[in-house]
Amino acid sequence: MTASAPHGPVVARTPGELRSALAGAGRVGLVPTMGALHGGHRSLVRLAREHADTVVVSVFVNPLQFGPDEDYGRYPRDLDADVRVLAEEKADVVFAPATETMYPAPQMVTVDAGTMGERLEGASRPGHFTGVLTVVAKLFHLVRPDLAVFGEKDAQQIALVRRMVADLDLPVEIVGAPLQRDADGLASSSRNGYLSEAERTSALSLPRALQAGREAAPGGADAVRAAARKVLDEAADATPPVQLDYLALVDPATFEEAPADHTGTAVLAVAARVGTTRLIDNTSVPL
């Protein structure tokens, strides 16, 4: 097992430093993040610790997954604060490369997310999942982990990572970590810090809509969608309003819309904007 420094994890900024830090590492678990770490990220690190001898957390704000009108420039960055969090969680290595380290030249070859990557988040954010899968593939090659932990809040993302691993025969076990919520029920997210008090109150309609959908599950897929949409329609008239991007009940393996007669587990997913902040949330629904 890689020994953490007395006051925290080893911080590696280059592939060479990363290789040195992982010498004799044993079973390696990777937690890919973009920093701005919160309680949800802590849960990922703890889960990785259960499965691995050495836990590596990457902190990299990946430009490839941001669109031209998205929040790449203002995305919170505070590596010192992140390292303090990871010291508390006893992570062993922090891989924090500069953008020019990960992309020393324009990225000409990328990982295509296919039709699954064009649905929901992919439809709202064209090219997003190509950027995600490309950086995840690069991290897998650099860290060479035995397993990688991803949060289930990003349900479509983890489904696509699993599909990439299967389709490309990558020797990495993908472990899903349950979605974490703040005390008021809002899904934990680095972007929650953008919300004003009034905006946060409006944003709580997202978890309420998901709960309403779950409670309507005995009535079938259409009842689930109708119950959730009713909550969000009311939230559209709130102050400030919730501007719905999408609400969908989908097959968890393909993210295709679940038909009215769907049986088994489905994912009820929502994305909405409150003020200038875009939020996502989801829940599993047994049908």
Side-chain angles (χ1 to χ4, degrees):
M1 176 175 177
T2 298
S4 299
H7 302 294
V10 175
V11 178
R13 296 180 180 274
T14 67
E17 292 174 356
L18 180 64
R19 285 192 296 273
S20 296
L22 291 177
R27 183 169 167 83
V28 174
L30 170 65
V31 180
T33 83
M34 293 202 301
L37 304 182
H38 50 68
H41 293 111
R42 288 178 183 267
S43 73
L44 305 185
V45 177
R46 292 169 189 166
L47 186 57
R49 171 61 63 208
E50 294 176 13
H51 293 269
D53 301 312
T54 298
V55 175
V56 180
V57 180
S58 62
V59 177
F60 178 65
V61 183
N62 175 36
L64 261 62
Q65 68 192 69
F66 288 81
D69 299 320
E70 294 182 344
D71 58 347
Y72 176 72
R74 70 169 181 146
Y75 195 88
R77 296 165 171 83
D78 188 341
L79 182 61
D80 290 342
D82 291 337
V83 170
R84 288 194 294 271
V85 168
L86 295 172
E88 292 173 3
E89 297 301 331
K90 297 181 172 55
D92 300 293
V93 179
V94 177
F95 181 45
T99 302
E100 54 269 26
T101 299
M102 289 297 286
Y103 303 114
Q107 191 77 16
M108 296 181 67
V109 177
T110 57
V111 179
D112 185 354
T115 56
M116 185 174 166
E118 296 171 357
R119 300 173 184 135
L120 301 190
E121 283 296 289
S124 296
R125 307 175 66 187
H128 169 69
F129 286 122
T130 292
V132 169
L133 295 184
T134 298
V135 78
V136 169
K138 288 171 75 78
L139 288 169
F140 285 176
H141 285 297
L142 290 166
V143 178
R144 300 188 181 278
D146 297 280
L147 63 101
V149 180
F150 291 83
E152 292 176 351
K153 180 175 81 72
D154 297 295
Q156 190 174 6
Q157 172 179 282
I158 191 172
L160 278 161
V161 169
R162 285 190 168 120
R163 189 59 189 256
M164 176 180 74
V165 165
D167 287 355
L168 300 183
D169 298 310
L170 302 180
V172 184
E173 176 189 355
I174 304 302
V175 178
L179 186 152
Q180 299 292 305
R181 296 189 180 277
D182 295 347
D184 59 4
L186 197 64
S188 298
S189 170
S190 302
R191 291 184 169 94
N192 290 351
Y194 298 158
L195 298 168
S196 69
E197 184 176 348
E199 288 170 345
R200 188 174 183 111
T201 298
S202 292
L204 292 174
S205 63
L206 272 65
R208 285 202 306 272
L210 297 180
Q211 181 60 30
R214 281 184 61 89
E215 291 173 356
D222 288 345
V224 170
R225 282 184 275 256
R229 183 166 292 278
K230 182 176 184 294
V231 175
L232 294 168
D233 285 346
E234 294 170 356
D237 295 326
T239 304
V242 173
Q243 304 167 63
L244 182 64
D245 185 346
Y246 62 75
L247 172 71
L249 185 69
V250 298
D251 183 307
T254 64
F255 272 70
E256 292 181 333
E257 194 72 29
D261 60 351
H262 182 89
T263 58
T265 300
V267 172
L268 183 60
V270 62
R273 193 174 296 276
V274 184
T276 60
T277 304
R278 187 175 183 276
L279 301 171
I280 63 172
D281 202 347
N282 75 85
T283 190
S284 292
V285 179
L287 293 169

